Amino acid sequence: MEACILTHLMPRSQIDIFVQADGGTRSACINAATLALADAGIPMRDIVTSCSAGYLNSTPLLDLNYIEDSAVGADVTVGMVPKFDKVTLLQMDAKLPMDIFENVMGLAIEGCKAVANYIREVLLENTKQLEYRRGL
């Protein structure tokens, strides 16, 4: 999150983000933290989104469920700042051949971008609702 928060605009502030996550919940926690920062009005360069992908039965899979995650040999969790195509988190629990890794990572990045688009839509809709309630 530090890569996107505009800390220079709040020089005497401290922002603490605490999550307890592992495996499939890590991406959910990162996405929830992004929404919490936006809801709190914390100035950011862009949102940070996260998604995981894995490789099972010769097929790259996005956003693994529990059964897939338990059966998969390796999974990749990616966090990124989509506006800048900047990866801020990369975690892989096992080895993958380079060509498969590139496919799985590409899938996770596309998932991050899809999550970012959805989060932006939700934030925009909520902003419009707040403006309407205030009569703006």
Side-chain angles (χ1 to χ4, degrees):
M1 298 312 221
E2 191 173 346
C4 75
I5 298 172
L6 299 173
T7 56
H8 67 280
L9 297 177
M10 302 169 295
R12 295 190 175 146
S13 299
Q14 178 176 329
I15 300 169
D16 293 322
I17 301 170
F18 294 99
V19 296
Q20 186 172 350
D22 62 354
T25 61
R26 184 170 290 110
S27 291
C29 288
I30 291 168
N31 295 328
T34 288
L35 285 167
L37 290 169
D39 187 57
I42 303 298
M44 297 185 286
R45 289 176 182 84
D46 191 21
I47 58 178
V48 176
T49 58
S50 181
C51 202
S52 63
Y55 193 74
L56 180 64
N57 297 330
S58 302
T59 306
L61 300 172
L62 182 65
D63 193 25
L64 305 170
N65 65 31
Y66 177 76
I67 294 170
E68 293 165 341
D69 192 38
S70 299
V72 74
D75 64 293
V76 175
T77 300
V78 174
M80 71 178 296
V81 181
K83 182 177 178 181
F84 302 107
D85 273 335
K86 181 178 180 180
V87 173
T88 58
L89 167 73
L90 175 60
Q91 179 186 3
M92 188 166 73
D93 296 331
K95 294 181 181 179
L96 282 172
M98 188 55 103
D99 60 329
I100 294 172
F101 168 75
E102 288 173 353
N103 288 338
V104 172
M105 177 140 173
L107 185 60
I109 287 171
E110 290 305 311
C112 287
K113 291 177 181 179
V115 169
N117 289 336
Y118 181 72
I119 287 175
R120 284 187 186 107
E121 288 175 15
V122 168
L123 290 173
L124 182 61
E125 182 59 34
N126 286 346
T127 300
K128 287 179 181 178
Q129 288 178 11
L130 287 171
E131 288 175 345
Y132 176 75
R133 290 180 192 152
R134 290 182 177 171
L136 299 175

